[in-house]
């Protein structure tokens, strides 16, 4: 009983093979060798239009800059096929950056635009586990570094360059379909190759921080007593490295006998008034 269906199916399949498939196959082979078969699979889909995707995803201004730079446009287009992750600044970010952008040469503009993409496809999850320096589409060997640093803090993916003290933050996923990902960022990325690096944080603020102390000292102590600076004594001076020694002296000057000396001023003034 059970064998009836399989038998019937087998018979049907055999019938189909003889009546339908065989004639088709022979028609194909007789009509035109391999060419007919090669046409059968659907043509691969056209690569995505990266600037169109950026425009749609809130980066219209950036996409339009890419379209106006022939070098950048062709590099973006060829990168799309090999895998690419682009970081497009939002329209607001581009608007405030335009004065600086207009100052760049055509070559500088192309480099800046290409600085906003890396030749590797990253999902957002992939980016979140990729702290560190990355080469960009603007990188060309060691002569043109054009790298930036991906920095994750918690769930926030950020991109840092030495030319800017604020990191650009990834705001949203504009497009993500292997091999192309596009993320919107809230600032234009500035390569140090085109923009002055921000001063290293340590040396820059130091004089500023010192200034008020120095001025208050000079105001309060117009005739700083010589003995104050020597107060810490030889032991402290010998133990500490030069910088700390300097600070120790400064601290001693600010916090040592100075207040006593300052406290004497009102008394002296009072005495003078009497
Ligand atoms: C991509 O889309 C833009 C419109 O956003 C269009 O002007 C351009 O011709 C398109 N490029 C290609 C290669 O299709
Ligand atoms: C553009 O370049 C000019 C001349 O080099 C300079 O004075 C100006 O500050 C620059 N503007 C910006 C926004 O970089
Ligand atoms: C990144 O670029 C800087 C110069 O802009 C260079 O000193 C540094 O070695 C580069 N880092 C990597 C990992 O390529």
């Amino acid at each position: 009983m059970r064998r009836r269906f399989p038998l019937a199916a087998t018979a049907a399949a055999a019938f189909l093979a003889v009546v339908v498939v065989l004639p088709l196959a022979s028609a194909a082979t007789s009509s035109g060798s391999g060419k007919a078969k090669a046409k059968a699979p659907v043509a691969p889909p056209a690569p995505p239009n990266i600037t169109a995707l950026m425009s749609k995803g809130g980066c219209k201004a950036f996409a339009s800059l890419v379209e106006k730079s022939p070098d950048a446009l062709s590099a973006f287009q060829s990168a799309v096929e090999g895998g690419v992750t682009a970081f497009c600044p939002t329209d607001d970010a581009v608007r405030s950056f335009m004065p600086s952008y207009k100052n760049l040469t055509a070559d500088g503009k192309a480099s800046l635009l290409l600085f906003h993409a890396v030749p590797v496809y990253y999902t957002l999850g992939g980016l979140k586990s990729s702290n560190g320096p990355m080469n960009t589409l603007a990188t060309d060997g060691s002569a043109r570094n054009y790298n930036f640093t991906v920095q994750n803090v918690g769930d926030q993916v950020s991109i840092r360059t030495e030319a800017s003290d604020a990191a650009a933050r990834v705001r949203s996923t504009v497009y993500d379909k292997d091999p192309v990902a596009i993320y919107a960022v809230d600032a234009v990325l500035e390569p140090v190759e085109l923009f002055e690096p921000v001063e290293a944080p340590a040396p820059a603020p130091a004089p500023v921080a010192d200034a008020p102390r120095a001025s208050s000292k000079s105001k309060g102590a117009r005739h700083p007593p010589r003995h104050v600076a020597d107060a810490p004594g030889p032991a402290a001076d010998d133990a500490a490295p030069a910088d700390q020694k300097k600070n120790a002296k400064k601290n001693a000057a600010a916090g040592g006998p100075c207040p006593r000396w300052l406290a004497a001023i009102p008394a002296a003034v009072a005495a003078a008034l009497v």
Side-chain angles (χ1 to χ4, degrees), residues 133-135 145-148 162 192-193:
M134 279 187 189
N135 284 332
N145 281 299
Y146 282 96
N147 60 54
F148 58 54
E162 282 160 38
V192 277
E193 284 77 6

PDB file of all heavy atoms in Angstrom, residues 133-135 145-148 162 192-193, ligand 3:
ATOM      1  N   PRO A 133      44.068  52.547  15.900  1.00  0.00           N
ATOM      2  CA  PRO A 133      44.239  53.294  14.657  1.00  0.00           C
ATOM      3  C   PRO A 133      43.720  52.522  13.446  1.00  0.00           C
ATOM      4  O   PRO A 133      43.776  51.294  13.410  1.00  0.00           O
ATOM      5  CB  PRO A 133      45.753  53.495  14.568  1.00  0.00           C
ATOM      6  CG  PRO A 133      46.352  52.432  15.398  1.00  0.00           C
ATOM      7  CD  PRO A 133      45.349  52.068  16.456  1.00  0.00           C
ATOM      8  N   MET A 134      43.184  53.252  12.500  1.00  0.00           N
ATOM      9  CA  MET A 134      42.708  52.645  11.248  1.00  0.00           C
ATOM     10  C   MET A 134      43.194  53.490  10.090  1.00  0.00           C
ATOM     11  O   MET A 134      43.138  54.727  10.149  1.00  0.00           O
ATOM     12  CB  MET A 134      41.185  52.633  11.199  1.00  0.00           C
ATOM     13  CG  MET A 134      40.551  51.514  11.951  1.00  0.00           C
ATOM     14  SD  MET A 134      38.779  51.494  11.635  1.00  0.00           S
ATOM     15  CE  MET A 134      38.303  50.275  12.855  1.00  0.00           C
ATOM     16  N   ASN A 135      43.641  52.836   9.043  1.00  0.00           N
ATOM     17  CA  ASN A 135      43.946  53.549   7.810  1.00  0.00           C
ATOM     18  C   ASN A 135      42.654  53.861   7.083  1.00  0.00           C
ATOM     19  O   ASN A 135      41.656  53.177   7.253  1.00  0.00           O
ATOM     20  CB  ASN A 135      44.864  52.713   6.931  1.00  0.00           C
ATOM     21  CG  ASN A 135      46.292  52.719   7.450  1.00  0.00           C
ATOM     22  OD1 ASN A 135      46.729  53.670   8.099  1.00  0.00           O
ATOM     23  ND2 ASN A 135      47.020  51.658   7.173  1.00  0.00           N
ATOM     24  N   ASN A 145      49.874  59.248   5.890  1.00  0.00           N
ATOM     25  CA  ASN A 145      49.312  58.391   6.940  1.00  0.00           C
ATOM     26  C   ASN A 145      47.785  58.427   6.971  1.00  0.00           C
ATOM     27  O   ASN A 145      47.142  57.401   6.888  1.00  0.00           O
ATOM     28  CB  ASN A 145      49.857  58.802   8.305  1.00  0.00           C
ATOM     29  CG  ASN A 145      51.252  58.263   8.530  1.00  0.00           C
ATOM     30  OD1 ASN A 145      51.445  57.054   8.533  1.00  0.00           O
ATOM     31  ND2 ASN A 145      52.206  59.141   8.696  1.00  0.00           N
ATOM     32  N   TYR A 146      47.266  59.629   7.102  1.00  0.00           N
ATOM     33  CA  TYR A 146      45.810  59.820   7.130  1.00  0.00           C
ATOM     34  C   TYR A 146      45.087  58.714   7.912  1.00  0.00           C
ATOM     35  O   TYR A 146      44.162  58.088   7.388  1.00  0.00           O
ATOM     36  CB  TYR A 146      45.254  59.898   5.706  1.00  0.00           C
ATOM     37  CG  TYR A 146      45.476  61.239   5.065  1.00  0.00           C
ATOM     38  CD1 TYR A 146      46.553  61.464   4.225  1.00  0.00           C
ATOM     39  CD2 TYR A 146      44.598  62.293   5.301  1.00  0.00           C
ATOM     40  CE1 TYR A 146      46.769  62.710   3.638  1.00  0.00           C
ATOM     41  CE2 TYR A 146      44.806  63.535   4.716  1.00  0.00           C
ATOM     42  CZ  TYR A 146      45.884  63.729   3.882  1.00  0.00           C
ATOM     43  OH  TYR A 146      46.079  64.960   3.303  1.00  0.00           O
ATOM     44  N   ASN A 147      45.556  58.466   9.115  1.00  0.00           N
ATOM     45  CA  ASN A 147      44.842  57.482   9.940  1.00  0.00           C
ATOM     46  C   ASN A 147      44.051  58.193  11.041  1.00  0.00           C
ATOM     47  O   ASN A 147      44.332  59.332  11.379  1.00  0.00           O
ATOM     48  CB  ASN A 147      45.826  56.470  10.526  1.00  0.00           C
ATOM     49  CG  ASN A 147      46.883  57.128  11.396  1.00  0.00           C
ATOM     50  OD1 ASN A 147      46.549  57.848  12.326  1.00  0.00           O
ATOM     51  ND2 ASN A 147      48.151  56.868  11.085  1.00  0.00           N
ATOM     52  N   PHE A 148      43.057  57.525  11.550  1.00  0.00           N
ATOM     53  CA  PHE A 148      42.353  58.038  12.741  1.00  0.00           C
ATOM     54  C   PHE A 148      42.235  56.915  13.752  1.00  0.00           C
ATOM     55  O   PHE A 148      42.631  55.774  13.480  1.00  0.00           O
ATOM     56  CB  PHE A 148      40.990  58.661  12.390  1.00  0.00           C
ATOM     57  CG  PHE A 148      40.013  57.753  11.687  1.00  0.00           C
ATOM     58  CD1 PHE A 148      39.656  56.518  12.207  1.00  0.00           C
ATOM     59  CD2 PHE A 148      39.408  58.170  10.505  1.00  0.00           C
ATOM     60  CE1 PHE A 148      38.731  55.707  11.560  1.00  0.00           C
ATOM     61  CE2 PHE A 148      38.485  57.367   9.845  1.00  0.00           C
ATOM     62  CZ  PHE A 148      38.149  56.134  10.384  1.00  0.00           C
ATOM     63  N   GLU A 162      44.291  63.647  15.882  1.00  0.00           N
ATOM     64  CA  GLU A 162      45.143  64.515  16.689  1.00  0.00           C
ATOM     65  C   GLU A 162      44.877  65.986  16.400  1.00  0.00           C
ATOM     66  O   GLU A 162      45.417  66.855  17.085  1.00  0.00           O
ATOM     67  CB  GLU A 162      46.620  64.191  16.422  1.00  0.00           C
ATOM     68  CG  GLU A 162      47.095  62.951  17.141  1.00  0.00           C
ATOM     69  CD  GLU A 162      48.364  62.388  16.512  1.00  0.00           C
ATOM     70  OE1 GLU A 162      49.215  63.187  16.094  1.00  0.00           O
ATOM     71  OE2 GLU A 162      48.485  61.150  16.445  1.00  0.00           O
ATOM     72  N   VAL A 192      45.447  65.247  10.688  1.00  0.00           N
ATOM     73  CA  VAL A 192      46.574  66.126  11.062  1.00  0.00           C
ATOM     74  C   VAL A 192      47.391  66.506   9.850  1.00  0.00           C
ATOM     75  O   VAL A 192      48.144  67.469   9.887  1.00  0.00           O
ATOM     76  CB  VAL A 192      47.531  65.477  12.086  1.00  0.00           C
ATOM     77  CG1 VAL A 192      47.000  65.632  13.480  1.00  0.00           C
ATOM     78  CG2 VAL A 192      47.848  64.060  11.744  1.00  0.00           C
ATOM     79  N   GLU A 193      47.239  65.762   8.774  1.00  0.00           N
ATOM     80  CA  GLU A 193      47.973  66.091   7.555  1.00  0.00           C
ATOM     81  C   GLU A 193      47.455  67.390   6.941  1.00  0.00           C
ATOM     82  O   GLU A 193      48.144  68.020   6.147  1.00  0.00           O
ATOM     83  CB  GLU A 193      47.848  64.954   6.539  1.00  0.00           C
ATOM     84  CG  GLU A 193      48.712  63.734   6.853  1.00  0.00           C
ATOM     85  CD  GLU A 193      48.144  62.857   7.954  1.00  0.00           C
ATOM     86  OE1 GLU A 193      47.001  63.119   8.412  1.00  0.00           O
ATOM     87  OE2 GLU A 193      48.818  61.911   8.383  1.00  0.00           O
TER      88      GLU A 193
HETATM   89  C1  LIG B   3      49.173  57.492  12.024  1.00  0.00           C
HETATM   90  O1  LIG B   3      49.591  58.718  11.468  1.00  0.00           O
HETATM   91  C2  LIG B   3      50.587  59.398  12.195  1.00  0.00           C
HETATM   92  C3  LIG B   3      50.888  60.702  11.503  1.00  0.00           C
HETATM   93  O2  LIG B   3      49.755  61.336  11.102  1.00  0.00           O
HETATM   94  C4  LIG B   3      51.826  58.555  12.299  1.00  0.00           C
HETATM   95  O3  LIG B   3      52.780  59.201  13.089  1.00  0.00           O
HETATM   96  C5  LIG B   3      51.464  57.203  12.913  1.00  0.00           C
HETATM   97  O4  LIG B   3      52.581  56.366  12.890  1.00  0.00           O
HETATM   98  C6  LIG B   3      50.333  56.559  12.146  1.00  0.00           C
HETATM   99  N1  LIG B   3      49.911  55.364  12.860  1.00  0.00           N
HETATM  100  C7  LIG B   3      49.735  54.209  12.260  1.00  0.00           C
HETATM  101  C8  LIG B   3      49.322  53.091  13.116  1.00  0.00           C
HETATM  102  O5  LIG B   3      49.885  54.074  11.053  1.00  0.00           O
END
